[in-house]
């Protein structure tokens, strides 16, 4: 499988598929959710998605860490240890793995989400070492090839 070094999309143009909310989680209304995954990391631990939802109130369980960036609309979120907070276009939030939260969508919300699975300690350590080696090799190649090493290995 060949993977491009850069994946780029216009988030507003991504076609979303139905992604029903677990019926037992719905507290009020008939929210209709849709989503699409547009990229996945090479190691499979991180995905990027676009998700939207119509009006309703529901509980949501985050099985993995999820960083959200609200693109359109708004949502009020809360949890047992976090008072209600309304997120609007331009806002971002982190929901930690294992968190239950309540979402109240007044009209509509569209978010960009980055989901990351946790790896066991030894696997995580090995990936960090491999990443460090990759960066050093990239800098060495850049120095030999005459490229600027500051941008090798990262964006």
């Amino acid at each position: 499988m060949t993977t491009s070094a850069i994946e780029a999309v216009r988030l507003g143009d991504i076609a979303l598929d139905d992604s029903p909310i677990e019926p037992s989680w719905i507290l009020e209304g008939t929210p209709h959710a849709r989503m699409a995954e547009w990229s996945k990391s090479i190691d499979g631990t991180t995905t990027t998605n676009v998700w939207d939802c119509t009006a309703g109130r529901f509980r949501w369980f985050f099985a993995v860490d999820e960083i959200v960036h609200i693109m359109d609309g708004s949502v009020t979120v809360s949890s047992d240890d976090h008072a209600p907070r309304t997120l609007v276009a331009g806002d971002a939030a982190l929901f930690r793995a294992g968190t239950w939260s309540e979402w109240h969508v007044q009209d509509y919300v569209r978010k960009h989400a980055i989901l990351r699975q946790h790896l066991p300690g030894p696997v995580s350590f090995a990936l960090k070492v491999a990443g460090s080696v990759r960066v050093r090799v990239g800098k060495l190649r850049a120095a030999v090839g005459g490229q600027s090493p500051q941008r090798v290995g990262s964006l």
Side-chain angles (χ1 to χ4, degrees):
M1 176 178 147
T2 304
T3 303
S4 174
I6 297 174
E7 292 182 52
V9 298
R10 185 171 309 275
L11 294 173
D13 292 345
I14 293 176
L16 306 179
D17 297 316
D18 285 340
S19 181
I21 297 168
E22 165 59 43
S24 65
W25 295 358
I26 297 174
L27 303 171
E28 181 180 297
T30 54
H32 178 238
R34 303 177 306 158
M35 71 86 69
E37 178 182 295
W38 69 268
S39 73
K40 181 179 264 190
S41 64
I42 292 171
D43 65 5
T45 61
T46 306
T47 61
T48 51
N49 305 276
V50 174
W51 180 91
D52 76 355
C53 187
T54 60
R57 194 169 62 91
F58 49 90
R59 295 197 26 88
W60 194 265
F61 181 73
F62 291 87
V64 298
D65 283 348
E66 182 171 330
I67 298 170
V68 304
H69 175 240
I70 304 301
M71 300 167 49
D72 191 20
S74 66
V75 59
T76 301
V77 296
S78 63
S79 68
D80 289 342
D81 68 347
H82 194 280
R85 166 82 184 256
T86 300
L87 303 173
V88 299
D91 288 346
L94 165 65
F95 295 87
R96 299 192 190 282
T99 299
W100 274 102
S101 67
E102 185 174 306
W103 285 55
H104 184 192
V105 179
Q106 294 268 358
D107 295 306
Y108 173 79
V109 67
R110 184 176 179 103
K111 70 178 182 178
H112 181 234
I114 302 167
L115 288 73
R116 183 180 174 280
Q117 296 180 16
H118 289 266
L119 296 173
V123 174
S124 182
F125 177 75
L127 286 174
K128 286 179 186 176
V129 170
S132 177
V133 168
R134 191 170 42 248
V135 168
R136 288 186 177 140
V137 168
K139 287 181 179 181
L140 180 59
R141 285 184 181 161
V144 171
Q147 297 175 357
S148 172
Q150 292 87 351
R151 300 302 287 167
V152 175
S154 65
L155 284 176

